[in-house]
Amino acid sequence: MSDLTLGSLFDGSGGFPLGGMLAGIKPLWSSEIAPFPIRVTEKRLPNVRHYGDISKLNGADLSIAGKRSGLLGARSSLFFEAVRIIKEMRGVTNGKYPRYIVWENVLGALSSNKGEDFRCVLEEICKITDKSADVPRPPKWQNSGTIVGDSSSLVWRVLDARFWGVPQRRKRIFLVADLNARGAGKILFESEGVSAYSAGGFRAWQRTASAAENRSRAAGGAALVFENHAQDARITGPLDIAPTVSASYGTGGNNQPLVLNCYDVRFTSEGTKNVRANVYKTDTARTLDCSENSPDRNQGGLAVVSYGIGRAAFNQGKNALYSVTVERETEPTIVAKGPGAVAVPNIGSFDVDYIVRRLAPTECALLQGFPDWWCVGLETDEPSNKEIERWRRIFEEHRAAVGKVSKPKTDRQIVKWLKKPHSDSAEYKLWGNGVALPCVFFVLAGIAWYDSDNKLWECLYTSDVDNSPALS
């Protein structure tokens, strides 16, 4: 492991701390306000210190600080809070830390407010090291770009998760800034193939992590990462390794194999003609379409259509095409009911109206590249008074931050939640708002590679200068 350390703002599912560990970077602390994500990451990464509301953090000493308004209203003013914390941290370390910044956001941030919002993001980050920085706005922001100063650099690049080790279409902007040198471009554009990351290596790690019986355990602030986009769609899509839906697993309620078809659903306005034209078969999940100006515009999702076939027909292999017996899918945990249900089965001799179901939360975890047990084992059967008091503060801070008119949780409600904090809806939201782990791993591995390579050359150069007359 390198001597790089990491702090994570808007931590969510814990993707940046976990990605840092995979890249050899030690995660030290994180900031998050939502109770369920905090519960997950404190269980999975117990050595990472958790802080709450970012607006109350002081980068100089990570203590109480004042609030401040900013970009795009209350939610996006959090971006300026992140910049403030970075400036405060660098102020007390004489500009040494954090050296690297990683910012992740939805693709629509490039076009939001006609591109002005992204221009403000770039300019504010540039002003961390150059107060006079002025970033002009082009007619259209491209999917990648570079800004290089005298002693700092900033690059951005759109990464689609389907090309980095997981079977879902999820485009996100990744911005990397090297505040002390011109290395950002090397990190984001030249590290592939030379850093610790590879798609094959990541998938091997995912298989190992999914098979492991033991739960994840985590191993001075050189890197800081954050993402502050609004809530995304729930993660949906096909998966070729999830045992809950694999035909080879065969547990469709009555121990029947499951056959999957996946359809991309592109929603249209009410009254639009030929709506069926917006539903088509696909093998990759489209979780979010940000083709218009709003970064959090949800244009559609993906429906998984499943049906069971008889064991005898399944054992016939390809010959089953001529004697298929379709049976009713009875597994209640994976069939969409209520508002989420699109169709119900109408089983005949061969004609079937297929069941449309949600992806299980475990499948969502795997689609994001996380271990399937990331949200398992969160319970505390007998919470102490100290724990109850701590969680009372967490719930109250979250209630105040989101601005909802609701009553504070009672101690009895908190104890009940700690005994069973998990719910499918909470986990769906966690993954919908989370990051695709392989993309994070790629970026952070690039930082670790560049930082290590830089230090190696500095060491060799210093050694040669000291000992070699030819170079002195």
Side-chain angles (χ1 to χ4, degrees):
M1 177 174 287
S2 71
D3 57 359
L4 282 173
T5 58
L6 179 146
S8 174
L9 300 175
F10 315 103
D11 189 52
S13 58
F16 277 103
L18 179 56
M21 291 173 61
L22 293 175
I25 301 173
K26 183 179 180 180
L28 293 183
W29 57 268
S30 67
S31 171
E32 175 59 58
I33 62 167
F36 183 71
I38 293 174
R39 186 63 171 176
V40 171
T41 53
E42 77 169 7
K43 287 287 189 177
R44 300 285 80 88
L45 305 169
N47 293 335
V48 175
R49 184 170 181 179
H50 284 265
Y51 294 96
D53 189 349
I54 184 176
S55 66
K56 298 178 182 178
L57 292 180
N58 188 319
D61 56 12
L62 291 180
S63 63
I64 301 299
K67 293 189 176 182
R68 171 179 177 177
S69 61
L71 179 69
L72 292 178
R75 283 188 65 89
S76 293
S77 68
L78 298 176
F79 168 76
F80 280 127
E81 297 289 358
V83 172
R84 170 185 60 79
I85 290 172
I86 293 167
K87 289 178 178 178
E88 290 167 349
M89 292 175 68
R90 287 178 64 83
V92 297
T93 60
N94 295 318
K96 191 174 182 180
Y97 299 123
R99 173 172 176 174
Y100 306 103
I101 301 173
V102 179
W103 177 76
E104 183 261 6
N105 214 300
V106 296
L107 183 61
L110 293 175
S111 55
S112 175
N113 195 18
K114 299 182 179 179
E116 176 62 15
D117 293 333
F118 190 62
R119 188 201 69 80
C120 289
V121 167
L122 299 179
E123 187 169 280
E124 287 299 314
I125 293 176
C126 288
K127 283 184 175 181
I128 294 173
T129 55
D130 180 3
K131 294 181 180 179
S132 64
D134 180 20
V135 176
R137 188 178 81 199
K140 179 181 179 181
W141 291 108
Q142 299 302 311
N143 284 354
S144 63
T146 303
I147 298 175
V148 179
D150 293 336
S151 58
S152 63
S153 54
L154 178 156
V155 300
W156 70 91
R157 176 181 176 185
V158 173
L159 301 180
D160 191 336
R162 62 176 167 158
F163 300 123
W164 300 92
V166 290
Q168 69 151 322
R169 181 179 301 155
R170 189 178 181 87
K171 294 181 179 180
R172 292 293 185 270
I173 307 164
F174 280 84
L175 181 154
V176 174
D178 181 351
L179 300 179
N180 294 354
R182 297 184 174 188
K186 290 184 176 293
I187 291 168
L188 207 51
F189 298 126
E190 298 181 28
S191 66
E192 189 174 354
V194 292
S195 73
Y197 171 85
S198 72
F202 179 81
R203 284 191 289 267
W205 170 84
Q206 192 179 14
R207 288 192 295 271
T208 301
S210 295
E213 293 183 3
N214 295 326
R215 299 304 180 226
S216 170
R217 293 294 178 188
L224 190 142
V225 294
F226 58 99
E227 53 87 21
N228 62 319
H229 53 77
Q231 180 176 342
D232 298 337
R234 187 181 68 233
I235 307 305
T236 52
L239 193 63
D240 59 2
I241 59 174
T244 57
V245 297
S246 171
S248 61
Y249 188 71
T251 57
N254 292 325
N255 198 33
Q256 308 302 327
L258 295 176
V259 180
L260 301 183
N261 285 299
C262 302
Y263 294 87
D264 201 341
V265 182
R266 306 298 302 282
F267 298 113
T268 57
S269 301
E270 185 177 357
T272 302
K273 295 180 179 180
N274 198 22
V275 174
R276 288 181 62 86
N278 291 318
V279 179
Y280 55 91
K281 195 168 182 179
T282 181
D283 60 359
T284 306
R286 182 197 302 273
T287 59
L288 193 69
D289 185 337
C290 293
S291 58
E292 298 202 13
N293 287 338
S294 175
D296 57 357
R297 181 179 177 87
N298 179 15
Q299 297 274 34
L302 191 129
V304 178
V305 180
S306 60
Y307 55 92
I309 64 174
R311 173 61 64 184
F314 179 71
N315 290 336
Q316 293 175 35
K318 66 180 182 180
N319 292 327
L321 292 173
Y322 308 104
S323 58
V324 172
T325 301
V326 180
E327 299 187 7
R328 180 182 298 271
E329 173 56 61
T330 59
E331 178 53 64
T333 60
I334 63 174
V335 176
K337 296 182 178 180
V342 181
V344 293
N346 180 15
I347 309 298
S349 59
F350 190 75
D351 296 326
V352 183
D353 293 333
Y354 299 133
I355 300 169
V356 176
R357 68 168 180 84
R358 299 182 180 94
L359 281 172
T362 296
E363 297 169 285
C364 297
L366 292 170
L367 275 176
Q368 290 286 59
F370 283 72
D372 53 8
W373 41 260
W374 195 247
C375 293
V376 172
L378 308 179
E379 304 83 6
T380 298
D381 293 332
E382 298 296 334
S384 65
N385 291 334
K386 186 177 180 180
E387 287 179 284
I388 295 171
E389 181 182 354
R390 174 174 172 262
W391 281 97
R392 188 190 306 124
R393 292 196 301 267
I394 290 173
F395 275 104
E396 183 58 23
E397 185 172 68
H398 179 256
R399 189 178 73 93
V402 299
K404 290 185 178 180
V405 180
S406 59
K407 295 181 179 179
K409 283 193 177 295
T410 65
D411 286 1
R412 185 174 182 179
Q413 289 174 318
I414 292 171
V415 169
K416 183 179 179 180
W417 185 84
L418 287 172
K419 288 183 176 181
K420 189 180 178 181
H422 181 274
S423 68
D424 283 358
S425 61
E427 188 172 353
Y428 280 134
K429 187 174 181 179
L430 176 83
W431 298 126
N433 290 335
V435 291
L437 183 60
C439 297
V440 170
F441 177 25
F442 163 70
V443 175
L444 296 182
I447 290 178
W449 160 77
Y450 172 75
D451 191 77
S452 176
D453 194 54
N454 240 19
K455 289 176 179 175
L456 175 63
W457 278 108
E458 288 174 4
C459 179
L460 291 173
Y461 178 77
T462 302
S463 176
D464 286 342
V465 169
D466 289 342
N467 301 306
S468 174
L471 293 177
S472 60

